[in-house]
DNA sequence: AGACTGTCAAGAGCACTGCTCACAATTGTT
DNA sequence: AACAATTGTGAGCAGTGCTCTTGACAGTCT
């Protein structure tokens, strides 16, 4: 109990600090759900908590890092929900796993449109996403890569459905290869999977941002088949 | 010169008014390109024009309608560029027309990222897109429907590539049928085309909003093949 | 020519924002 | 119980969108 005293004393203060910081983030989330990211006001958050605006700055150094906290939070909630939905499907049911993933993504977006806009919409100007956000942001793509990899090993991919990938595109995907090696998800599947992922996000964004007005009636029905179309891009159906 | 005097005098006023309004929109566009939509300040626009902030309100009733003017403007510029790019391709070259369209869309987005965010990114909160924006917003989709329709009549679509469309999805697309009838673009092509369009916008948004960081190196190369993948969704390749 | 009318720039003002700072109160630790 | 780090306070700065009154001006009508 000699050297360990310092950590203990630290956690005492730090615990209270973390708790209040958590309350601030919670209040900010509540406000975000109502007014949106652009109108998120630090003063309003302070009011909501019954504290003075300047006091909040003791815990959150700026409005931008508050936004960062909310972004990380949103990515994590989305990631957790998607992981749970996908894990509930029989491993052999590849199409089912993709559909569960896509449906969970859309469901989360519909339930939290402002959070969706926060992470998939326009980045707030003058705001550069810090390193903290990139790891939670990879959770959903990681789930997808799991499906893609299993689809490859299952041998059930219709390679006639997907065209070849040029060497140049193979080189263009070099960065992602530090995380997902070629022998796990080969180039054509990776390329098609990325397009399917972008298509999925694009489809949900279209719906949430109102671009389907006067175009599509029953979004749910349309989206269900849209998922089936998109996954043909990796040769699955 | 008795009754016509009034109209003449009116247009005199209206002309000056329209000119100054145009200058305001131009200044706003310049500011938009620098600071983005969320940070667009009516006062800064006024300063830029050497007029006092309150004077701007004589021409533009609120910041929101200024945004609307910019949105309409952006849609029109994008639409014009895409139409020109697509019109330059041989009518029989269906794949070429789609690629020209997609490339023009991406090119415009890269050249005007803030305008892209304005129309395809998160809608500004508390702002409902008025009727004025929906017509210019249809210019690019209209170009696409032209390609789709020609692809259908050419008989060069590989129907084996695209799955059938359920009756429910056919009904879900009812709203768009007031503009694009079924005999022009049949259900399966329309559904695939919508998914391709959403995928195109999603792909460009991914690139512009930084979601391809540490994923893709050479966006241009990757995008070129991405276009080819997306259009297989209507059975073209 | 003079009265009238509609238009417009100017500037003060309101309520709000993010953020800083000096000062006071609190509180965990010694 | 006393110390010192930590936290809360309120004033203040510079900025925002927007409203309203005031005064100047130009075109129209009698």
């Amino acid at each position: 109990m000699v050297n360990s005293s310092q950590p203990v004393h630290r956690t005492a203060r730090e615990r209270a600090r973390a708790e209040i910081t958590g309350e601030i983030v919670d209040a900010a989330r509540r406000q975000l759900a109502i007014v949106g990211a652009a109108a998120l006001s630090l003063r309003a958050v302070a009011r909501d908590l019954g504290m003075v605006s300047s006091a909040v700055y003791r815990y959150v150094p700026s409005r931008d890092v508050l936004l960062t906290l909310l972004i990380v939070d949103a990515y994590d909630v989305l990631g957790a929900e998607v992981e749970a939905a996908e894990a509930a499907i029989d491993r052999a049911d590849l199409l089912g796993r993709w559909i569960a993933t896509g449906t969970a993504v859309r469901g989360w977006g519909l339930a939290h449109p402002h959070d969706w806009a926060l992470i998939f919409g326009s980045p707030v100007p003058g705001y550069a996403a810090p390193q903290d956000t990139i790891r939670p942001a990879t959770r959903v793509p990681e789930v997808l890569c799991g499906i893609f990899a299993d689809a490859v090993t299952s041998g059930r991919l219709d390679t006639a459905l997907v065209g070849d990938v040029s060497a140049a595109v193979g080189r263009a995907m070099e960065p992602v290869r530090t995380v997902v090696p070629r022998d796990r998800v080969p180039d054509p599947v990776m390329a098609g999977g990325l397009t399917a992922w972008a298509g999925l996000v694009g489809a949900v964004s279209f719906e949430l941002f109102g671009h389907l007005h006067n175009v599509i009636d029953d979004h749910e029905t349309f989206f269900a088949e849209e998922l089936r179309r998109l996954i043909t891009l990796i040769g699955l159906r």
Side-chain angles (χ1 to χ4, degrees), chain A:
Chain A
M1 283 204 190
V2 193
N3 297 353
S4 62
S5 64
Q6 255 221 352
V8 167
H9 130 258
R10 266 283 149 85
T11 41
R13 277 250 157 97
E14 288 287 314
R15 182 170 304 185
R17 192 178 176 77
E19 188 171 329
I20 296 188
T21 307
E23 283 177 24
I24 290 176
V25 173
D26 282 352
R29 292 203 68 194
R30 283 196 299 271
Q31 228 214 325
L32 174 72
I34 301 170
V35 300
L40 194 150
S41 149
L42 241 164
R43 288 176 120 110
V45 171
R47 270 195 302 271
D48 197 41
L49 264 56
M51 59 191 343
V52 105
S53 70
S54 51
V56 176
Y57 283 87
R58 291 276 134 118
Y59 300 91
V60 176
S62 79
R63 200 193 91 120
D64 273 12
V65 336
L66 215 200
L67 273 181
T68 300
L69 293 178
L70 291 175
I71 290 174
V72 171
D73 219 54
Y75 269 128
D76 268 327
V77 174
L78 168 63
E81 283 191 19
V82 166
E83 284 166 11
E86 196 265 350
I89 308 294
D90 174 23
R91 296 293 83 190
D93 183 6
L94 296 165
L95 186 60
R97 286 165 67 187
W98 159 256
I99 289 174
T101 302
T103 306
V105 167
R106 173 174 177 267
W108 182 84
L110 286 183
H112 312 92
H114 287 118
D115 298 67
W116 178 278
L118 194 59
I119 63 185
F120 291 117
S122 351
V124 296
Y127 168 86
Q131 295 298 81
D132 322 21
T133 64
I134 70 173
R135 216 200 47 78
T138 61
R139 290 179 68 165
V140 174
E142 188 52 48
V143 169
L144 291 178
C145 283
I147 303 175
F148 299 160
D150 289 354
V152 171
T153 58
S154 80
R156 285 188 36 209
L157 290 188
D158 184 354
T159 51
L161 229 55
V162 303
D164 271 346
V165 163
S166 72
V169 165
R171 278 194 302 276
M173 293 189 294
E174 207 57 59
V176 83
R177 289 317 185 178
T178 63
V179 163
V180 184
R182 268 198 184 74
D183 56 1
R184 188 166 167 236
V185 179
D187 277 352
V189 177
M190 187 53 122
L194 278 170
T195 303
W197 170 226
L200 166 56
V201 172
V204 176
S205 289
F206 259 31
E207 178 176 354
L208 286 178
F209 297 165
H211 288 275
L212 259 38
H213 238 83
N214 300 326
V215 180
I216 301 282
D217 243 353
D218 182 351
H219 299 137
E220 179 130 15
T221 302
F222 186 81
F223 182 76
E225 286 195 15
E226 194 155 40
L227 280 180
R228 284 181 163 79
R229 272 193 299 277
L230 282 170
I231 205 55
T232 63
L233 293 174
I234 74 160
L236 185 68
R237 75 167 144 194

